[in-house]
Amino acid sequence: MKYVLFICTPVDGEELSPEEIAEDPRFTAYIDEVRGRDVVKGGARLRPHTDATTVRVQGDEVLLSDGPFAESKEYVAGFDVIEVADLDEAIALASRHPAALGGGSVEVRPVWE
């Protein structure tokens, strides 16, 4: 089954650059594991929540606001699309993600196929 892992970071947490992630042994070990198992099928690291624009439509009016879609203590910082046997395996993988271990969270959601 395919799942999306939404990588969530605390709003007041440290924002690591792609270069810092590439040098962080927690991330490199995790990335090596999931690539070695060939379970990651896609994904992306997102720019900080401060770069987000939220679009809402009310009637004929398009409303724009800076920032994420809702006031929150966390924001989605990236996502991975994984293909694993079942939810248990997806949860096991998410529980080892450095974001989950470092004070953030990883939301696991199945993909409609």
Side-chain angles (χ1 to χ4, degrees):
M1 289 191 68
K2 285 187 183 171
Y3 294 87
V4 173
L5 304 181
F6 291 104
I7 316 307
C8 301
T9 299
V11 169
D12 59 353
E14 180 182 7
E15 179 72 34
L16 298 178
S17 70
E19 294 79 19
E20 290 171 314
I21 287 174
E23 296 172 0
D24 186 320
R26 299 169 305 159
F27 280 94
T28 56
Y30 180 83
I31 292 166
D32 288 347
E33 176 192 349
V34 297
R35 285 188 181 154
R37 292 177 50 199
D38 194 33
V39 296
V40 175
K41 303 303 178 186
R45 175 123 193 289
L46 302 175
R47 304 258 323 157
H49 70 286
T50 53
D51 291 349
T53 300
T54 299
V55 179
R56 290 183 177 84
V57 178
Q58 292 181 349
D60 293 336
E61 189 176 4
V62 176
L63 306 171
L64 303 178
S65 58
D66 291 334
F69 60 90
E71 292 295 322
S72 176
K73 293 182 181 181
E74 295 181 329
Y75 64 93
V76 177
F79 66 95
D80 292 334
V81 178
I82 61 171
E83 190 164 356
V84 294
D86 54 28
L87 179 59
D88 289 339
E89 188 176 354
I91 290 170
L93 194 61
S95 71
R96 292 192 307 277
H97 194 286
L101 298 172
S105 65
V106 178
E107 178 183 331
V108 178
R109 191 171 318 166
V111 174
W112 286 108
E113 293 192 84

